[in-house]
Amino acid sequence: MSREQRLALVEREHRELPLSTQADLLSLNRSSLYYRPVPPSVEEIALKHRIDAVYTATPFYGVRRVTAQLHREGWSVNHKAVARHMHEMGIAGMCPGPNLSRRAHQAAIYPYLLRGVAASSPNHIWGLDITYIRLVHGWMYLVVVLDWYSRYIISWELNQSLHQSFVLTALDGALAQAHPVICNSDQGSHFTSQEYLGRLQAANVEISMDGKGRALDNIFTERVWRTIKYEEVYLNEYATPREAWHGLSRYIQFYNQERPHEALGQKPPAY
């Protein structure tokens, strides 16, 4: 279990197990558990949750269309604030617009290799992406490694920040199981870092990246986000990171092993 997963299991208000005991049981540094960041405002949480719902329903909306939709619903927010929130949430519309998924300075950008290419077998093409997961009083981030042929979620990680480490942990978990021919992602800083690229290069994996501002290039993962959110996240109110981790863990197990998929002849991805 990764450090991020162990952190998600911490219950700060547990009556019987103090933080020090939980830290020892989970092999975590005690001091890191006592730091309390300033929580986001109720207004910011509500706005980000609504942006997430609008984007999930209409991923082809850019900043200005998302802003217009919010205005129709009575939100008083300008497009600059919406752009900032979308950047913090790690999301961007499919249409060209502001570069919300910023890449590292002078990062190596690879071409999109999948135009006109269909996944022909398991481990032919993998896709990596990150999405926003709402909590009652905040949010977390989910990264998955998806097999495009079987729609199987090979590996996933959940974290309270967009720190690079949780993406690398997910990738390492996937590469420990198999190696794809091609691995696709967007051009964000998580996927243009030398740590990420180096792992794929060492495994002799061809690297593909979406065109700038083209989330449609990673459409299979976008569809998985819709499925996870409509069938799990939006039906539950996760009060804590622990609840989110357990809920997503159960759902992803169900998605892989039991949920029939139309594109697979009503078989689950594992089959």
Side-chain angles (χ1 to χ4, degrees), residues 64-140:
R64 294 189 182 276
R65 285 188 175 180
V66 171
T67 305
Q69 177 63 35
L70 293 171
H71 286 173
R72 286 192 292 271
E73 297 174 4
W75 293 89
S76 179
V77 60
N78 61 39
H79 73 276
K80 291 183 180 179
V82 172
R84 183 179 70 253
H85 287 315
M86 289 178 69
H87 170 60
E88 292 169 355
M89 295 164 69
I91 60 177
M94 290 179 176
C95 300
N99 183 14
L100 301 179
S101 185
R102 296 178 183 172
R103 58 179 179 253
H105 180 60
Q106 294 183 335
I109 304 303
Y110 287 75
Y112 184 65
L113 303 178
L114 303 175
R115 194 159 288 110
V117 176
S120 59
S121 62
N123 300 316
H124 177 195
I125 301 169
W126 287 1
L128 272 81
D129 203 4
I130 301 169
T131 197
Y132 172 99
I133 299 295
R134 69 190 192 188
L135 307 180
V136 173
H137 302 296
W139 55 85
M140 299 185 76

Side-chain angles (χ1 to χ4, degrees), residues 87 99-110 162 164 185-197 209 212:
H87 170 60
N99 183 14
L100 301 179
S101 185
R102 296 178 183 172
R103 58 179 179 253
H105 180 60
Q106 294 183 335
I109 304 303
Y110 287 75
L162 282 169
Q164 176 74 24
S185 70
D186 65 30
Q187 297 181 18
S189 59
H190 294 88
F191 308 116
T192 54
S193 72
Q194 285 305 309
E195 294 92 339
Y196 172 85
L197 298 174
M209 293 184 179
K212 185 177 178 181

Side-chain angles (χ1 to χ4, degrees), residues 1-12 18-34 158-160 241-242:
M1 186 182 295
S2 71
R3 180 177 181 275
E4 286 74 20
Q5 290 175 327
R6 286 180 279 131
L7 282 171
L9 295 176
V10 173
E11 295 188 52
R12 296 183 180 276
L19 282 180
S20 59
T21 302
Q22 293 185 60
D24 290 341
L25 291 173
L26 295 170
S27 301
L28 293 168
N29 186 307
R30 295 186 186 185
S31 61
S32 66
L33 301 186
Y34 291 96
L158 190 66
N159 200 3
Q160 290 181 278
R242 179 187 177 91

